[in-house]
Amino acid sequence: MNEGRLLRQYEALLGAVPQSVWVLSADGVVSLLRDGGMPERLWHPDGESSWMDAVHPKDRDWFQRAWRKANQQRAPLDTIVRVRLEEAPDRFRHIKIIAAPVLDGSGELEWVGTATDAEDHWRTRMREKLLARMAPVPAAHNLSEAFLTTAAAVVPELADAVAVFHVEGDAEAAFRPAEGIPAAASPERVGLAPGLPPMHPLDADFLLGPAVQEVIRSQEAGLLTFPPGGPPEDSLSRVSVRWLREAGATSVALLPVVVDGRTVALATTATCRGNPPSDEADVYLLQDVFQQMSGPLRRTIELQGIRDMALVLQQSFLAVPPSVDGLAITALYHPADSAAEVGGDWYDAVRLSADSLALSIGDIAGHDLDAATAMGRVNSILRGLAYDSGPAASPAATLSRLDRIVQALDSPSMVTAVHAVLHRQADNAWHIALSNAGHPPPLLIPADAPSRYLHDLTAADPPLCVGEALPRNDLHAVIREGDTLVLYTDGLVEVPGTDIGDGLRHLRERTDALVRKGVSQLSLIRALLPPVQNRWDDIAVIALQARRER
């Protein structure tokens, strides 16, 4: 009587708890004792497939290990695992499984367990874990660091691949990889689960697909699901579709990162290798994670704004070289490949008379707005001194005057410069008098001989702003018809950790090789620039070629 009453009480208790009760026999047959009102119907045994087939592919390995350990030790099992929904084979739900070993009447081991819906609990716990991983992001020094932290947080638990792109302009424009992520995206800069193919290099004009345009415009996340390796070609870019096919992708989540009401970045994640696609709940979690990048993105945007203003200021001082009969003048300025740096490089050319020209190039130490504004002041003073001194002035005397004025009125960092005055001579030749204040030597490219420097490094005088009343000297040379003279800043020849002598030798060898190919002056100057990714410093170049008078 008491046993019957206890059984009824136990059954009543089970009926009040939203869980399923099951038994796994020693020969692997699963029997459902009670369907406990689960939100979705879970996998039910059909007599042909293993119950382990219902477990999510990403959970199968660790869950099998846990199950074997429990069997070997005959110890209870208590864990949360993703299980396929019977009515939606491509959807999974987190289930809390508690199982206990018991011996049947014949002494064989079987298992009795419960299955309880744990989706909300798992989502809450996962959100807390992901946000804890993202805690360093607001303090990240740069966007690349923030991205790497974010990628590590979501791969491979929520996604198999993740990439972040900086949105330029509106949804109709192209976009490029976020700062610090090279155009030829590599696994170090793109979060990829092990075994996935590398990302394809992105073209310079990587166009958005319609689905991405809509996400950027609406600022609402998008989710595309599709058969393994079959992404929709009409929604994504060609390069994306190609990679998703190779990776056996099943879904792509498109997540806008919004800063001050503007979509400034797009985070994309993908499930790959035939893994079940993400669902809306995954997208909500991913949105929370990637929005944590808004802080570093805001700082990046602010730094870029400062850099843009500084570049405008800097380039406003780089006047277009004057037109001088008998001379072809070319000038270029390229900033360093950095999101936050500007520099103090400048060039200038001032026509002193019909037959004379003042030429200068210089570099103020530093890579910030202060260096750019100091450059403007020093350049303006030198330009005024050169014009006031006239064609007969000694370049060394002009630099000495500049040194005294700048040190008296300002406190800039060290300044290197070359200042030259050119005078027309007969037969389309030009005489050059120049003074070098600690700057790399000018390169002369004769029309009929290998290139050479006008002087060696030891012939340069000390830089400006390093002492008072330092002696300065004039050097003299002649350029004849067809000769080219190149003045440049150290970004063209210096590489951190290497000797500048090696850089000077490489520049001369590269020049001679280009001249032998018959490259024109403008093309030559552009070809001498190092690749963008190797430009650690600003580069300013001004070159002139003696020509026959018109």
Side-chain angles (χ1 to χ4, degrees):
M1 182 71 175
N2 288 338
E3 289 182 0
R5 182 181 178 187
L6 287 173
L7 180 59
R8 289 193 299 273
Q9 289 174 339
Y10 179 65
E11 289 175 343
L13 175 63
L14 289 180
V17 177
Q19 62 185 9
S20 298
V21 182
W22 51 270
V23 172
L24 175 65
S25 65
D27 56 1
V29 176
V30 179
S31 302
L32 187 65
L33 298 184
R34 178 182 178 278
D35 190 341
M38 299 284 285
E40 301 278 358
R41 292 183 63 198
L42 296 176
W43 176 82
H44 289 183
D46 57 12
E48 297 181 0
S49 59
S50 167
W51 65 282
M52 193 65 73
D53 293 340
V55 175
H56 193 288
K58 286 189 176 182
D59 292 352
R60 207 165 285 164
D61 286 345
W62 71 261
F63 185 68
Q64 284 180 326
R65 290 194 299 270
W67 182 249
R68 284 195 298 267
K69 181 179 179 181
N71 270 278
Q72 292 168 358
Q73 299 180 357
R74 297 193 174 188
L77 178 69
D78 185 346
T79 190
I80 293 177
V81 65
R82 284 172 287 185
V83 179
R84 179 184 290 113
L85 302 179
E86 185 180 27
E87 296 179 349
D90 62 342
R91 292 187 59 202
F92 291 77
R93 196 168 184 88
H94 286 86
I95 303 299
K96 182 176 178 63
I97 292 179
I98 299 177
V102 296
L103 297 177
D104 63 11
S106 61
E108 293 290 334
L109 181 67
E110 62 181 10
W111 290 82
V112 178
T114 62
T116 309
D117 182 72
E119 187 69 22
D120 291 342
H121 171 74
W122 183 87
R123 295 285 174 189
T124 300
R125 193 175 68 177
M126 177 56 68
R127 182 179 185 277
E128 292 173 351
K129 182 167 70 171
L130 290 176
L131 294 183
R133 291 179 183 175
M134 294 292 291
V137 168
H141 296 296
N142 54 60
L143 190 56
S144 179
E145 179 183 341
F147 168 70
L148 293 174
T149 300
T150 306
V154 302
V155 174
E157 287 186 282
L158 284 183
D160 296 307
V162 56
V164 178
F165 298 91
H166 176 202
V167 177
E168 292 185 334
D170 56 28
E172 303 300 324
F175 69 90
R176 59 182 171 81
E179 291 295 334
I181 307 173
S186 64
E188 290 76 26
R189 296 305 184 195
V190 175
L192 297 176
L196 288 179
M199 291 283 189
H200 293 294
L202 301 182
D203 298 331
D205 297 321
F206 181 44
L207 298 180
L208 305 174
V212 180
Q213 293 182 25
E214 176 58 24
V215 166
I216 294 174
R217 185 196 63 77
S218 66
Q219 299 184 348
E220 295 181 0
L223 176 63
L224 304 175
T225 59
F226 39 85
E233 297 183 13
D234 58 349
S235 299
L236 300 168
S237 67
R238 288 193 301 272
V239 66
S240 298
V241 168
R242 188 165 69 252
W243 184 85
L244 292 169
R245 284 175 179 165
E246 295 175 6
T250 57
S251 70
V252 172
L254 306 171
L255 307 153
V257 181
V258 180
V259 175
D260 298 332
R262 185 170 72 87
T263 304
V264 299
L266 177 75
T268 62
T269 68
T271 52
C272 304
R273 295 177 298 187
N275 283 319
S278 299
D279 57 23
E280 295 297 334
D282 294 327
V283 172
Y284 292 142
L285 270 178
L286 289 166
Q287 280 182 292
D288 282 345
V289 168
F290 283 107
Q291 197 56 39
Q292 301 300 308
M293 294 186 67
S294 60
L297 275 166
R298 179 180 284 107
R299 287 196 295 276
T300 297
I301 292 169
E302 291 171 351
L303 286 173
Q304 188 62 48
I306 294 172
R307 174 178 166 79
D308 290 345
M309 288 189 295
L311 288 175
V312 169
L313 172 66
Q314 188 170 18
Q315 292 181 343
S316 70
F317 291 106
L318 303 178
V320 176
S323 176
V324 178
D325 191 21
L327 287 177
I329 306 176
T330 302
L332 295 175
Y333 171 78
H334 282 269
D337 182 33
S338 168
E341 291 189 350
V342 293
D345 293 25
W346 87 86
Y347 61 78
D348 196 16
V350 182
R351 188 169 181 170
L352 303 179
S353 69
D355 297 319
S356 62
L357 176 77
L359 200 65
S360 63
I361 196 160
D363 184 5
I364 293 180
H367 295 89
D368 52 25
L369 191 57
D370 290 342
T373 54
M375 175 275 294
R377 292 193 296 271
V378 173
N379 181 25
S380 296
I381 295 173
L382 178 56
R383 185 181 181 88
L385 288 174
Y387 188 82
D388 182 66
S389 300
S394 157
T398 302
L399 284 184
S400 294
R401 293 178 63 193
L402 173 67
D403 199 7
R404 289 194 300 273
I405 293 171
V406 172
Q407 292 194 60
L409 300 181
D410 209 343
S411 56
S413 303
M414 182 181 69
V415 181
T416 68
V418 171
H419 178 60
V421 176
L422 289 80
H423 294 276
R424 190 192 309 273
Q425 293 185 324
D427 299 326
N428 304 308
W430 292 77
H431 173 268
I432 303 172
L434 67 88
S435 182
N436 188 328
H439 202 77
L443 178 66
L444 177 63
I445 309 172
D448 55 0
S451 61
R452 61 182 175 85
Y453 293 103
L454 291 187
H455 61 79
D456 59 29
L457 289 172
T458 60
D461 296 325
L464 308 179
C465 303
V466 296
E468 297 182 1
L470 295 174
R472 302 197 176 277
N473 303 288
D474 287 328
L475 302 172
H476 299 272
V478 174
I479 63 171
R480 295 177 173 81
E481 182 179 344
D483 294 353
T484 299
L485 181 68
V486 182
L487 279 63
Y488 54 92
T489 54
D490 57 5
L492 190 63
V493 292
E494 281 193 329
V495 177
T498 64
D499 186 88
I500 188 174
D502 294 335
L504 291 171
R505 183 174 61 257
H506 180 267
L507 175 63
R508 186 168 51 80
E509 292 172 351
R510 175 71 173 151
T511 299
D512 290 341
L514 292 169
V515 169
R516 286 195 296 269
K517 293 180 180 180
V519 176
S520 66
Q521 176 178 301
L522 178 59
S523 298
L524 171 68
I525 300 307
R526 293 189 182 279
L528 291 176
L529 297 177
V532 172
Q533 63 269 23
N534 295 338
R535 293 177 193 169
W536 70 276
D537 198 0
D538 297 347
I539 299 173
V541 180
I542 187 166
L544 54 85
Q545 185 177 61
R547 294 184 175 180
R548 185 177 299 276
E549 295 182 63
R550 292 191 297 271

